[in-house]
Amino acid sequence: MRNVNDTLRSLTSFTGPFSEFHPEDVPGNPTELFIEWLYEAIEKRIQEPHAMTLSTVDKHGVPDARTLILKNVTRNKWFFATSCKSQKGKQLELNPRVALTFYWSELGRQVRIRGIASVTNKKLSDKDFLERSVNARAIALIGRQSEELIDQNELDDVFIEKQEIVKRDPLIVAPYWHLYSVFAEDVEFFQGNTHRKNVRVKYERKGEQWASKLLWP
Ligand SMILES: Cc1cc2nc3c(=O)[nH]c(=O)nc-3n(C[C@H](O)[C@H](O)[C@H](O)COP(=O)(O)O)c2cc1C
């Protein structure tokens, strides 16, 4: 049996070097700082810099979380797309309060967003769907995300069937595929530091305005 504890202790974190983060220079709106950090992550060729954790709660108040792809960011809003029939879709219908978490390890940066998720509209949802690859559309068209899969062969057969449908009718959309926006209520930026004097800046929305403060690391 491997000694997992020893192995984990031998691993390093916050090795850096990381950029200096000057909290006194942050913009008034967290969206601006997020976009700045996102582009730095893209320019540094971090793998899947647009992958994030979406946390929800189920009907019993039990937390749930999974990775999703960020689809857009506009002023105070972060976007993702999924099936409203999935587990998370059902959870969102009952409780739209969510958290989004980004971690860009090579930059030592984490961003945490909390807010309210809502379905955008059919036009934007369909647009998102049609921009997906043929395979991604075929999988979404099956429409059984998060249901129990009893027989792998059933998936193989229906996948081929849906691929053919998408190729035959490239404008077909899945009506349950939704683009959601998360209207942010607070956003925290964390810049790791090799000496562990990590810098944390938290923004809180006050109506149309944002207030920011420093947090102890
Ligand atoms: C890198 C990555 C990106 C993903 N992006 C999406 C996405 O954009 N939309 C989606 O519905 N599922 C995406 N998934 C799958 C989800 O993590 C999850 O397995 C699926 O949505 C079912 O979640 P649920 O059972 O909580 O509803 C992604 C998974 C990974 C690992």
Side-chain angles (χ1 to χ4, degrees):
M1 178 97 167
R2 292 180 178 198
N3 189 328
V4 179
N5 186 242
D6 280 356
T7 306
L8 292 175
R9 280 182 179 280
S10 73
L11 301 177
T12 52
S13 50
F14 296 122
T15 44
F18 300 134
S19 323
E20 288 286 319
F21 178 37
H22 301 287
E24 61 281 6
D25 296 336
V26 295
N29 188 298
T31 322
E32 279 177 48
L33 185 55
F34 178 84
I35 291 173
E36 216 176 278
W37 280 24
L38 176 69
Y39 273 83
E40 276 183 56
I42 296 167
E43 281 150 19
K44 291 266 158 60
R45 300 190 177 281
I46 286 170
Q47 229 180 345
E48 298 189 320
H50 54 342
M52 60 186 182
T53 303
L54 166 74
S55 303
T56 49
V57 283
D58 73 10
K59 62 181 175 196
H60 305 293
V62 179
D64 205 351
R66 77 293 287 154
T67 313
L68 293 190
I69 291 294
L70 176 70
K71 291 303 181 88
N72 197 8
V73 185
T74 61
R75 201 171 171 77
N76 305 335
K77 284 184 181 167
W78 278 254
F79 296 77
F80 64 86
T82 194
S83 162
C84 67
K85 297 199 297 179
S86 67
Q87 197 153 283
K88 75 184 95 44
K90 291 176 190 155
Q91 292 166 352
L92 289 168
E93 211 174 311
L94 291 173
N95 186 345
R97 291 190 177 277
V98 299
L100 302 174
T101 314
F102 292 83
Y103 175 47
W104 297 307
S105 60
E106 293 90 331
L107 299 175
R109 287 176 173 173
Q110 171 183 256
V111 182
R112 299 162 62 178
I113 299 153
R114 295 195 303 169
I116 310 284
S118 54
V119 175
T120 55
N121 59 47
K122 180 160 166 54
K123 197 171 157 212
L124 290 173
S125 298
D126 289 356
K127 182 173 179 290
D128 181 88
F129 187 83
L130 292 172
E131 283 169 359
R132 290 164 63 83
S133 66
V134 169
N135 286 345
R137 275 181 279 161
I139 277 288
L141 271 178
I142 299 172
R144 298 184 62 179
Q145 190 178 61
S146 314
E147 283 180 27
E148 184 180 358
L149 174 65
I150 309 279
D151 178 0
Q152 181 70 37
N153 293 324
E154 204 191 336
L155 168 61
D156 296 344
D157 293 346
V158 75
F159 184 50
I160 292 170
E161 184 195 309
K162 298 295 181 191
Q163 278 175 319
E164 279 161 10
I165 290 175
V166 171
K167 284 179 195 153
R168 217 181 311 129
D169 181 1
L171 292 181
I172 194 167
V173 293
Y176 41 79
W177 187 260
H178 291 333
L179 182 72
Y180 291 79
S181 69
V182 175
F183 187 44
E185 295 196 322
D186 55 63
V187 185
E188 187 205 309
F189 294 84
F190 173 109
Q191 173 62 70
N193 173 278
T194 47
H195 306 296
R196 301 299 171 108
K197 261 179 69 188
N198 307 321
V199 181
R200 298 175 63 191
V201 174
K202 184 165 185 171
Y203 287 80
E204 286 165 334
R205 193 161 50 77
K206 314 271 179 207
E208 294 294 299
Q209 303 296 321
W210 288 90
S212 68
K213 61 188 177 193
L214 283 172
L215 299 179
W216 283 75

